[in-house]
């Protein structure tokens, strides 16, 4: 089975960027690298903000990636450099136990770039039980636009973890390293699900992946032959680790599940329960869960004290058991809206997948039907999940005007949209967005647009090039 396999080790391809990395590494460290790791970014087609609730998602790996060229050294330290050294300065740290690796944000609360590398290394050390032989010299490069919702951070965390493990000759399957990286990325402070790391390792050329969690499994989904997916950057940067918006959605889902469980007299003690576990416990359909949310979470807003009294615990205990350090001070929570989004989005994922695998795949309407699901997803993310941005909404509206459906992709609050269109309309659609959004609305020079707007097809997951 593909996902029980380890990350493939290949010969170095004649690729310009890889050759450049080899030369740049030699120049930086005075010796050649031993291997180069490549981990792709991703675009999520549908299933947003539901992975951390335990529901399946449907992303594909991108061509854009994070690259790490690595050399091993005797000293137990890691020397981290970036090709773009002015923006991303060098960092060096002694390696001891994973417990001793500190991951602290800078003064604005934004993570330092190298913290993503440290997350990966910390996870690898934990996996190795702190037993390792080799220190590392690493040089990082990447062409996934940062803060774009295309998973540049997870690609870097995953590439770093893979680099460290490969340097120690550790054996690990793709699914295990994907799960390991999902957990280690949380050291940055966000309580992410596992989608980005899963697709980073388990992506496949020519198909998107239907990803289920606990246990992590992927099933290829063949997209309609004449469908093209276009990614467009909103030019609003979205760094989910720089504020508490992402974590507040995670905890709102936790609290929604906990309250419904309590009201339904499902025994969970002080343990957390996800919205998908709740569905399993009740053995209900997603449609029934949607009705249940309306019935059991009728309010628009729940205050912290209200939630404590429903759960019959003190506000301090509520904070300790279910909130994160950056959400403990929140006075109130939107539970109905978030839970409705989650169950409805989970239903859209199932419908999207069914449409792709149905016997009427060649049917003319399939692209419109997939597009409608994507558009509904965006509407829900905008209104119920409140994680959109004016620029994202404008891009989605402009697409609609042109006759194409689109949605925000990734965590939101900025970053990119993904649109689905027919092959024959892709050029006209991209010209339209170039004029209407990038040139007219954002004053961008036409020649710079291709780095923000591109058509994409599913790609392979991570690979190691052995030199
Ligand atoms: C980020 C997280 C993912 C997922 C998405 C939203 O990319 O890393 O786990 O939650 O946001 O779907």
């Amino acid at each position: 089975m593909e996902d029980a396999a380890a990350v493939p080790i290949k010969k170095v391809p004649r690729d310009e960027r890889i050759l450049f990395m080899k030369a740049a590494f030699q120049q930086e460290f005075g010796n050649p690298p031993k291997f180069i790791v490549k981990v792709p970014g991703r675009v999520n087609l549908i299933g947003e903000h539901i992975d951390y609730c335990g529901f399946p998602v449907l992303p594909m790996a991108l061509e854009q990636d994070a690259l790490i060229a690595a050399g091993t050294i005797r000293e137990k330290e890691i020397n981290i450099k970036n090709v773009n050294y002015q923006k991303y300065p060098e960092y060096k740290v002694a390696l001891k136990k994973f417990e001793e690796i500190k991951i602290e944000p800078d003064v604005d609360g934004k993570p330092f770039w190298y913290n993503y590398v440290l997350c990966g290394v910390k996870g690898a050390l934990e996996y190795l039980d702190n037993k390792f032989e080799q220190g590392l010299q690493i040089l990082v490069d990447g062409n996934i636009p940062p803060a774009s919702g295309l998973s540049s951070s997870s690609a870097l965390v995953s590439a770093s973890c893979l680099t460290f493990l490969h340097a120690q000759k550790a054996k690990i399957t793709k699914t295990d390293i994907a799960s390991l990286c999902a957990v280690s990325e949380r050291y940055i402070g966000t309580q992410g699900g596992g989608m980005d790391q899963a697709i980073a390792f388990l992506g496949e050329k020519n198909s998107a992946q239907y990803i289920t969690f606990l246990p992590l499994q992927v099933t290829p989904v063949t997209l309609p032959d004449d469908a093209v997916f276009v990614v467009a950057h909103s030019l609003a940067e979205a760094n989910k680790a720089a504020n508490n918006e992402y974590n507040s959605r995670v905890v709102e889902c936790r609290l929604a599940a906990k309250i419904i469980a309590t009201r339904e007299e499902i025994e969970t003690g002080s343990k957390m329960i996800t919205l998908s576990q709740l569905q399993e416990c009740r053995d209900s359909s997603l449609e029934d869960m949607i009705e249940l949310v309306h019935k059991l979470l009728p309010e628009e807003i729940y205050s912290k004290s209200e939630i404590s009294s429903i759960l019959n615990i003190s506000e301090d205990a509520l904070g300790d058991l279910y909130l994160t350090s950056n959400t403990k001070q929140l006075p109130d929570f939107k539970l109905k809206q978030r839970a409705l989004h989650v169950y409805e989005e989970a239903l859209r994922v199932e419908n999207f997948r069914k449409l792709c695998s149905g016997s009427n795949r060649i049917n003319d309407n399939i692209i419109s039907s997939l597009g409608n699901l994507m558009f509904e997803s965006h509407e829900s993310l905008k209104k119920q999940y409140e994680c959109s941005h004016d620029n994202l909404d404008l891009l989605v509206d402009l697409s609609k005007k042109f006759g194409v459906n689109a949605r925000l992709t990734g965590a939101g609050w900025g970053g990119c949209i993904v649109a689905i269109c027919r092959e024959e309309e892709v050029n006209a659609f991209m010209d339209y967005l170039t004029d209407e959004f990038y040139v007219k609305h954002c004053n961008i020079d036409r020649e710079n647009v291709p780095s923000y707007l591109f058509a994409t097809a599913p790609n392979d997951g991570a690979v190691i090039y052995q030199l």
Side-chain angles (χ1 to χ4, degrees):
M1 226 174 98
E2 176 64 10
D3 41 343
V7 173
I9 302 177
K10 297 189 175 168
K11 281 206 213 128
V12 181
R14 292 219 127 266
D15 171 291
E16 239 178 69
R17 277 179 68 229
I18 304 274
L19 295 176
F20 168 79
M21 281 299 270
K22 259 176 78 177
F25 187 97
Q26 173 79 44
Q27 199 175 358
E28 283 298 329
F29 292 106
N31 50 274
K34 287 220 164 123
F35 60 93
I36 296 178
V37 153
K38 171 172 143 171
V39 176
R42 60 101 189 91
V43 57
N44 188 20
L45 301 182
I46 198 149
E48 218 64 84
H49 283 282
I50 63 172
D51 58 348
Y52 49 78
C53 298
F55 283 110
V57 294
L58 220 155
M60 65 192 198
L62 289 174
E63 220 174 276
Q64 289 87 337
D65 57 47
L67 286 180
I68 292 185
T72 50
I73 47 177
R74 290 240 178 83
E75 298 79 14
K76 300 226 161 159
E77 63 180 31
I78 178 163
N79 191 347
I80 310 168
K81 297 192 186 202
N82 196 302
V83 165
N84 187 352
Y85 58 89
Q86 274 163 335
K87 191 163 174 199
Y88 304 116
E90 171 178 3
Y91 186 74
K92 201 177 186 174
V93 67
L95 290 172
K96 291 180 194 144
K97 294 183 175 164
F98 83 87
E99 297 91 334
E100 290 166 16
I101 296 187
K102 296 266 173 298
I103 296 175
E104 279 155 1
D106 75 6
V107 279
D108 318 328
K110 260 194 179 174
F112 290 112
W113 81 274
Y114 52 79
N115 277 348
Y116 293 100
V117 176
L118 295 182
C119 281
V121 171
K122 197 168 157 101
L125 279 169
E126 197 168 354
Y127 176 79
L128 296 169
D129 220 359
N130 288 323
K131 295 191 183 72
F132 69 102
E133 298 295 324
Q134 310 285 337
L136 277 182
Q137 300 166 317
I138 69 171
L139 180 65
V140 177
D141 186 24
N143 59 3
I144 311 166
S148 62
L150 301 178
S151 196
S152 57
S153 339
S154 303
L156 183 52
V157 172
S158 302
S160 308
C161 183
L162 177 61
T163 298
F164 196 82
L165 289 176
H166 185 64
Q168 317 305 330
K169 301 194 168 64
K171 299 255 172 296
I172 186 165
T173 64
K174 290 186 202 179
T175 35
D176 286 350
I177 192 170
S179 303
L180 174 66
C181 290
V183 174
S184 27
E185 189 164 335
R186 295 193 191 128
Y187 289 124
I188 212 77
T190 43
Q191 295 294 310
M195 163 169 70
D196 307 347
Q197 302 78 5
I199 193 68
F201 288 101
L202 297 155
E204 269 177 51
K205 251 204 166 61
N206 305 323
S207 47
Q209 301 287 349
Y210 173 77
I211 302 178
T212 53
F213 302 96
L214 293 174
L216 177 60
Q217 268 170 348
V218 296
T219 313
V221 172
T222 308
L223 300 165
D225 289 343
D226 56 341
V228 177
F229 290 89
V230 172
V231 173
H233 201 304
S234 68
L235 300 184
E237 291 213 341
N239 185 336
K240 66 178 182 300
N243 58 47
N244 68 358
E245 293 287 1
Y246 185 90
N247 278 358
S248 71
R249 300 306 183 275
V250 175
V251 304
E252 283 171 325
C253 291
R254 280 180 196 165
L255 294 174
K258 195 73 195 175
I259 292 185
I260 297 179
T262 307
R263 293 194 156 156
E264 286 276 280
E265 295 178 357
I266 296 172
E267 192 41 63
T268 53
S270 58
K271 281 211 196 101
M272 283 195 244
I273 179 167
T274 63
L275 287 166
S276 88
Q277 286 165 336
L278 182 67
Q279 182 198 3
E280 254 168 54
C281 282
R282 295 188 84 251
D283 198 15
S284 304
S285 66
L286 286 166
E287 289 84 348
D288 287 347
M289 293 311 292
I290 293 167
E291 256 183 53
L292 195 69
V293 172
H294 282 291
K295 193 170 123 206
L296 298 183
L297 291 173
E299 313 295 335
E300 293 299 305
I301 289 186
Y302 287 81
S303 70
K304 201 171 181 179
S305 64
E306 224 174 326
I307 297 174
S308 314
S309 91
I310 300 171
L311 299 181
N312 200 16
I313 52 176
S314 68
E315 285 189 32
D316 284 349
L318 178 80
D320 294 343
L321 290 169
Y322 309 117
L323 305 183
T324 60
S325 58
N326 65 351
T327 55
K328 277 191 180 164
Q329 67 296 345
L330 290 176
D332 39 44
F333 302 87
K334 294 189 178 172
L335 308 185
K336 170 173 73 176
Q337 301 86 325
R338 313 309 189 215
L340 283 178
H341 165 78
V342 171
Y343 287 127
E344 290 167 5
E345 182 79 353
L347 198 53
R348 282 188 283 272
V349 173
E350 296 313 316
N351 290 336
F352 192 101
R353 183 185 180 207
K354 265 188 223 144
L355 279 165
C356 289
S357 60
S359 50
N360 60 347
R361 293 196 57 227
I362 310 299
N363 177 333
D364 255 8
N365 286 329
I366 183 173
I367 294 186
S368 330
S369 308
L370 295 175
N372 286 336
L373 291 171
M374 289 169 66
F375 183 70
E376 282 171 22
S377 165
H378 184 78
E379 285 292 291
S380 175
L381 289 161
K382 174 178 160 185
K383 294 182 184 144
Q384 305 198 94
Y385 226 68
E386 296 175 286
C387 65
S388 191
H389 183 282
D390 286 350
N391 281 13
L392 290 166
D393 297 340
L394 178 58
L395 276 168
V396 170
D397 290 348
L398 287 170
S399 305
K400 192 92 183 156
K401 251 194 200 162
F402 183 87
V404 162
N405 278 305
R407 57 182 287 279
L408 74 83
T409 185
W413 294 286
C416 291
I417 61 151
V418 56
I420 181 171
C421 65
R422 291 182 175 76
E423 211 164 4
E424 65 269 19
E425 63 190 352
V426 63
N427 289 336
F429 174 56
M430 285 170 65
D431 284 347
Y432 177 79
L433 286 189
T434 301
D435 289 336
E436 298 301 315
F437 184 74
Y438 294 101
V439 176
K440 282 193 199 154
H441 186 75
C442 306
N443 292 320
I444 297 274
D445 287 341
R446 199 170 289 274
E447 75 248 29
N448 293 331
V449 173
S451 52
Y452 303 117
L453 176 67
F454 54 89
T456 188
N459 258 283
D460 282 328
V463 57
I464 301 166
Y465 297 122
Q466 195 70 44
L467 287 144

